[in-house]
Amino acid sequence: MLTVIAPATGKQIGDIPETPISQVDIFYQKGKNAFLQWSKLTVLERAEYLLKLKTIIVEQMEEIVKIISEDTGKVVTEALIADIMPTLDGIDHITRHGEKILKRKRVKTPLLLIGKKSFIEYMPRGVVLIISPWNYPMQLAMVPMLSALGSGNTVILKPSEVTPLVGKCIEDLFIKAGFPDGVVQVAHGGKEVGAAFTNGKPDYIFFTGSVRTGKIIQQVAAKDLIPTTLELGGKDPMIVFADAHLERAAKGAAWAAFTNSGQVCMSVERLYVEKTIYPQFLSLLKKEIMDLKQGNDQDADVGSMTFPAQLQIVKDQLEDALSNGAQLEIGLPPEKWANGMFLPLTVVTNVNHQMKIIQEESFGPLLPVIALDNEEEVISLANDTVYGLNASVWTRDKEKARRVASKLVSGAVVINDAIISIANHGLPFGGAKQSGIGRYHGEAGIRIFCHEKSIVEDNGQKKSEIHWYPYRDKFPLFLQLFKSYFQTNRDWVRFVQYYLRILKKN
Ligand code: ADP
């Protein structure tokens, strides 16, 4: 049994039975059998099921919000905005664009393959294993599930054991929507269950979680060359230039650093502020943060932490920074923290790039602020971590913003806002460096769940082809053919002449 504790209140709110590891083969067999029928449906037929799911989510929105909020400790507004809305929008994306994205496409055929036609076809892969995390337990499970299902795969979801009620809720939603048996299966449990399913030879693995686990999964997948997408951590920089709308930037920083209590792979974890406005900006930022309300009622801004082990990571980073001379601007030193899962919203200054607080992912309400000298320096500082997921640039100078954005080694950059690139399903989403491998969302996010198959079609009427046997006497003619074709100014007369001469040799 997975015991479910509400992090905000410490109360036990449920028990979910774990999926026995002995069931792994049965799950895969069921998924494979269901694939035979599910993959035969058209994209539009599968979209009907997704639209039914959408109707149910819309009808049960309040109840789902409550489950997410209780299971994670996040405030209800964020459960709605950042878990449910992206899921519904994800359904719209695949049901509106899936057919076009997955349609057989004709591409040009080069002249040297004269008489043939070329196409690209997208073929679903089979059973997709999706392993999802606890910070956005609905969005980060549902969005890849929807794409995998829409493109014709069956899915086994292994949701995070830290938020098992949301995993159960997802399972129930698919049952209510009437998906055929075996198309969606949910395996409940912790890392042992995750590892057992990873070893069960899925046709694709879509993993969202820590870099540490991502590396383990990639190693296991490599044994059988199972393709993967890995969506991992971040240490996202926010860069505020002196000409930015400072009030907006201060409000934006407070939100982007502390939304979901900072447990966001794309939250602002490093704030670089141009020296000339540094003191002014810091006081604006402090004012914004001081106004935030922590709690679990409907009007609260910042909820609790979700995963108890995360508190220790945040504590270690803060202690390391403070013992190396960092200054606490807002918040409390760890020895003064109250018990429970609500961490003080914390801002520190006087930090350097050797500190853990700058190099390692915090995944908590911890914001280091650094004064920046100039554009070049801040680009190099922003790129100075092993991560590269998201970044933001704040300035009224559009050209400067775009120039800086282009130089950041990052899966995404947002200008004069933060995080929200993930909210556009039309954009690919994913990381650079150790933030991950592959992309989802956008066209890529639907096609990754398919084999991209190239088809060349000949009408089969000619007896032979010039590149077939016999080669006798053809070599010098081919030499002339390719020279006439590839020389700087193509010589069509010679090309046709040699083509016909080769043809005669067949
Ligand atoms: P976190 O430490 O933030 O919980 P993890 O990367 O450990 O992040 O967890 C993300 C997901 O990966 C969870 O569903 C978890 O159960 C699963 N998981 C953890 N370890 C493994 C593993 N070795 N193999 C497969 N899945 C795993």
Side-chain angles (χ1 to χ4, degrees):
M1 280 289 180
L2 292 167
T3 305
V4 193
I5 307 283
T9 60
K11 288 200 186 117
Q12 186 173 340
I13 49 170
D15 278 316
I16 304 275
E18 272 204 48
T19 302
I21 285 174
S22 58
Q23 294 272 307
V24 171
D25 288 347
I26 299 170
F27 269 59
Y28 278 106
Q29 203 46 55
K30 223 171 153 185
K32 276 187 186 134
N33 291 342
F35 177 74
L36 297 176
Q37 298 308 320
W38 183 251
S39 58
K40 276 192 205 142
L41 301 183
T42 64
V43 179
L44 290 180
E45 282 166 335
R46 290 191 292 261
E48 286 300 313
Y49 285 92
L50 297 177
L51 290 172
K52 216 181 285 171
L53 177 74
K54 182 180 163 190
T55 308
I56 293 168
I57 297 175
V58 171
E59 278 167 11
Q60 301 189 359
M61 210 176 262
E62 284 92 336
E63 293 106 280
I64 302 171
V65 162
K66 192 162 173 276
I67 293 169
I68 297 171
S69 171
E70 277 192 350
D71 209 8
T72 58
K74 71 174 74 183
V75 295
V76 285
T77 312
E78 288 181 349
L80 184 60
I81 293 177
D83 265 303
I84 293 182
M85 189 285 284
T87 301
L88 293 170
D89 209 32
I91 296 178
D92 279 353
H93 176 65
I94 179 116
T95 52
R96 285 187 192 149
H97 308 296
E99 197 198 14
K100 184 162 169 256
I101 291 169
L102 295 172
K103 205 168 69 187
R104 183 185 220 244
K105 279 176 192 52
R106 174 121 186 229
V107 298
K108 276 198 173 152
T109 305
L111 192 71
L112 289 171
L113 297 179
I114 202 160
K116 299 179 199 306
K117 288 180 188 150
S118 305
F119 302 93
I120 303 171
E121 222 174 67
Y122 298 93
M123 179 191 189
R125 291 176 182 272
V127 185
V128 174
L129 173 64
I130 294 174
I131 300 179
S132 59
W134 45 261
N135 59 334
Y136 289 97
M138 177 154 278
Q139 177 193 175
L140 299 181
M142 279 293 210
V143 174
M145 284 176 90
L146 300 167
S147 303
L149 291 167
S151 49
N153 302 275
T154 56
V155 164
I156 296 174
L157 169 70
K158 207 302 280 171
S160 172
E161 67 277 25
V162 180
T163 49
L165 281 190
V166 180
K168 185 78 186 67
C169 168
I170 292 172
E171 185 176 18
D172 292 343
L173 287 170
F174 279 98
I175 292 170
K176 278 181 202 143
F179 277 69
D181 196 35
V183 169
V184 177
Q185 300 176 88
V186 182
H188 301 279
K191 59 170 79 157
E192 294 75 17
V193 175
F197 275 90
T198 307
N199 272 298
K201 297 196 179 31
D203 296 299
Y204 197 90
I205 302 175
F206 190 102
F207 171 78
T208 309
S210 61
V211 172
R212 180 179 32 82
T213 309
K215 286 180 180 173
I216 296 171
I217 285 178
Q218 187 72 345
Q219 278 173 0
V220 176
K223 280 193 297 178
D224 291 298
L225 297 177
I226 295 168
T228 60
T229 299
L230 304 178
E231 294 294 342
L232 310 176
K235 189 74 196 169
D236 294 354
M238 167 169 175
I239 301 169
V240 183
F241 288 107
D243 60 353
H245 186 312
L246 296 189
E247 214 184 324
R248 174 179 171 82
K251 281 179 188 293
W255 174 75
F258 299 129
T259 183
N260 216 37
S261 210
Q263 304 166 113
V264 191
C265 46
M266 293 169 294
S267 58
V268 167
E269 293 214 356
R270 297 177 284 152
L271 175 54
Y272 299 94
V273 181
E274 193 156 2
K275 241 179 195 155
T276 48
I277 49 139
Y278 182 84
Q280 181 193 355
F281 188 79
L282 195 60
S283 60
L284 280 172
L285 177 68
K286 282 165 131 177
K287 186 185 159 304
E288 287 301 327
I289 297 169
M290 256 68 105
D291 285 345
L292 297 178
K293 183 168 176 277
Q294 271 181 292
N296 64 346
D297 61 282
Q298 193 165 306
D299 291 329
D301 298 306
V302 184
S304 75
M305 296 291 282
T306 304
F307 186 32
Q310 201 55 43
L311 271 67
Q312 190 58 42
I313 294 170
V314 177
K315 181 170 177 258
D316 280 352
Q317 291 188 6
L318 182 56
E319 276 170 351
D320 174 69
L322 294 176
S323 67
N324 283 295
Q327 188 178 323
L328 206 51
E329 298 286 344
I330 295 188
L332 294 168
E335 65 272 15
K336 293 198 179 151
W337 286 359
N339 288 333
M341 294 288 282
F342 286 90
L343 283 191
L345 307 182
T346 307
V347 175
V348 289
T349 53
N350 209 19
V351 290
N352 63 56
H353 258 246
Q354 281 68 53
M355 290 177 175
K356 287 186 194 173
I357 204 172
I358 295 297
Q359 291 297 330
E360 295 173 14
E361 186 171 35
S362 306
F363 228 64
L366 192 54
L367 180 61
V369 190
I370 302 172
L372 78 87
D373 261 329
N374 60 59
E375 195 178 311
E376 236 164 78
E377 181 212 51
V378 78
I379 291 167
S380 131
L381 289 175
N383 286 336
D384 175 36
T385 74
V386 296
Y387 296 102
L389 191 56
N390 209 321
S392 64
V393 184
W394 301 68
T395 167
R396 284 190 169 99
D397 179 344
K398 218 185 259 178
E399 242 171 64
K400 179 160 64 178
R402 290 179 182 172
R403 191 167 61 228
V404 174
S406 300
K407 289 181 184 161
L408 294 173
V409 184
S410 181
V413 181
V414 183
I415 293 168
N416 292 317
D417 200 339
I419 301 179
I420 43 83
S421 51
I422 193 173
N424 180 354
H425 279 280
L427 287 170
F429 179 86
K433 299 193 274 183
Q434 295 202 16
S435 287
I437 295 180
R439 294 288 179 269
Y440 76 129
H441 289 226
E443 296 192 355
I446 294 176
R447 289 190 182 138
I448 52 166
F449 293 110
C450 296
H451 297 288
E452 197 166 25
K453 196 188 292 177
S454 298
I455 295 183
V456 177
E457 195 177 280
D458 188 279
N459 66 11
Q461 296 305 311
K462 279 181 285 168
K463 191 176 76 185
S464 183
E465 293 284 344
I466 58 165
H467 59 278
W468 290 0
Y469 301 132
Y471 290 158
R472 196 171 7 99
D473 297 334
K474 282 188 186 171
F475 179 74
L477 301 177
F478 267 124
L479 264 183
Q480 294 308 320
L481 181 83
F482 293 147
K483 280 188 178 173
S484 64
Y485 186 76
F486 289 111
Q487 70 188 31
T488 313
N489 295 314
R490 190 163 289 163
D491 185 339
W492 287 112
V493 175
R494 271 180 65 222
F495 175 80
V496 173
Q497 204 177 14
Y498 282 101
Y499 191 91
L500 295 174
R501 284 180 66 185
I502 297 170
L503 209 54
K504 273 200 202 137
K505 300 283 175 195
N506 269 16

